[in-house]
């Protein structure tokens, strides 16, 4: 969560947007977890979504199904709708979205939303496309670290159980003698 939050704050300095979202596949399920950075004037608010998505529709779904980036200057011309968790339609006009790929595996999406028509430039798109491999690699490494940490905890628990069992057996042997 910290890695994603830091990345969102950093990228918001490079590409100003009204909302930036990273949606990442959860390793333990088949759901996407949305992380959002919403700009309200000078203030930016980071939130981790409680709404898990299996295979989203709309922009995220299109990015995931095609593994292609999306750049829309005027969303009204496309028929896409950007929805809030309570299915409220938001009035974003511009969208720029990218698949997060690591060694041909889709880890999630990175999406930018702007209230104005033509909110994003070709230069911004190029910058983000160059940063995507770094973000995807970082997310992959964080997922691997999480798995290794979980395995280490499991091994520690097994070692504690083995020690406890061994001590019980020693105690029982001492009592019998």
């Amino acid at each position: 969560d910290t890695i994603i939050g830091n990345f969102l704050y950093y990228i918001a300095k490079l590409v100003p947007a009204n909302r930036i979202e990273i949606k990442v596949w959860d390793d333990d399920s088949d759901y996407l977890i949305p992380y959002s950075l919403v700009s309200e004037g000078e203030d930016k608010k980071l939130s981790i979504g409680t709404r898990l998505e299996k295979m989203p529709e709309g922009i995220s779904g299109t990015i995931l199904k095609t593994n292609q980036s999306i750049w829309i200057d005027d969303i009204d011309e496309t028929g896409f709708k950007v929805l809030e968790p309570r299915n409220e339609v938001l009035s974003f006009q511009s969208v720029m979205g990218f698949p997060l790929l690591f060694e041909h595996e889709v880890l999630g999406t990175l999406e930018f939303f702007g209230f104005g028509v033509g909110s994003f430039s070709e230069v911004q798109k190029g910058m983000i496309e160059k940063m995507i491999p770094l973000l995807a690699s970082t997310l992959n490494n964080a997922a691997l670290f999480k798995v290794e940490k979980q395995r280490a905890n499991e091994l520690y628990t097994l070692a504690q159980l083995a020690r406890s069992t061994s001590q019980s057996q020693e105690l029982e042997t001492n009592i019998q003698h």
Side-chain angles (χ1 to χ4, degrees):
D1 295 350
T2 304
I3 291 170
I4 293 173
N6 289 340
F7 184 81
L8 283 169
Y9 279 110
Y10 173 75
I11 207 160
K13 293 177 184 177
L14 296 175
V15 180
N18 297 104
R19 169 182 250 147
I20 303 172
E21 286 188 349
I22 293 179
K23 295 181 180 175
V24 181
W25 287 114
D26 181 25
D27 293 337
D28 301 328
S29 66
D30 292 333
Y31 290 93
L32 283 171
I33 302 171
Y35 298 81
S36 300
L37 185 67
V38 178
S39 296
E40 297 168 0
E42 293 296 314
D43 295 331
K44 295 184 183 347
K45 182 177 142 191
L46 180 66
S47 66
I48 300 171
T50 54
R51 166 194 65 167
L52 301 177
E53 303 177 45
K54 198 130 178 114
M55 175 53 89
E57 297 298 319
I59 292 158
S60 300
T62 301
I63 294 169
L64 292 169
K65 289 172 190 165
T66 64
N67 288 339
Q68 300 292 316
S69 59
I70 287 181
W71 186 13
I72 301 170
D73 278 331
D74 188 355
I75 204 163
D76 287 340
E77 294 178 1
T78 65
F80 280 117
K81 299 288 185 225
V82 180
L83 301 176
E84 273 293 296
R86 294 170 303 283
N87 287 331
E88 298 169 0
V89 177
L90 298 177
S91 58
F92 293 115
Q93 293 298 309
S94 297
V95 177
M96 192 168 55
F98 305 88
L100 298 172
L101 298 168
F102 182 77
E103 295 181 356
H104 307 292
E105 180 183 352
V106 180
L107 304 177
T109 65
L110 172 62
E111 301 167 32
F112 298 82
F113 301 91
F115 287 127
V117 172
S119 295
F120 309 110
S121 71
E122 189 74 44
V123 171
Q124 291 170 325
K125 181 182 179 202
M127 281 191 316
I128 299 303
E129 285 176 336
K130 289 180 180 166
M131 294 178 75
I132 292 290
L134 176 62
L135 175 58
S137 176
T138 302
L139 290 173
N140 186 65
N141 288 341
L144 291 173
F145 178 76
K146 179 182 171 186
V147 168
E148 290 304 315
K149 186 176 177 182
Q150 183 177 353
R151 285 182 184 160
N153 287 337
E154 290 169 357
L155 287 173
Y156 177 77
T157 302
L158 285 174
Q160 294 289 44
L161 181 62
R163 183 179 310 145
S164 176
T165 303
S166 174
Q167 289 173 348
S168 295
Q169 288 174 348
E170 285 176 19
L171 181 60
E172 189 175 311
T173 302
N174 289 339
I175 290 173
Q176 289 176 356
H177 291 292

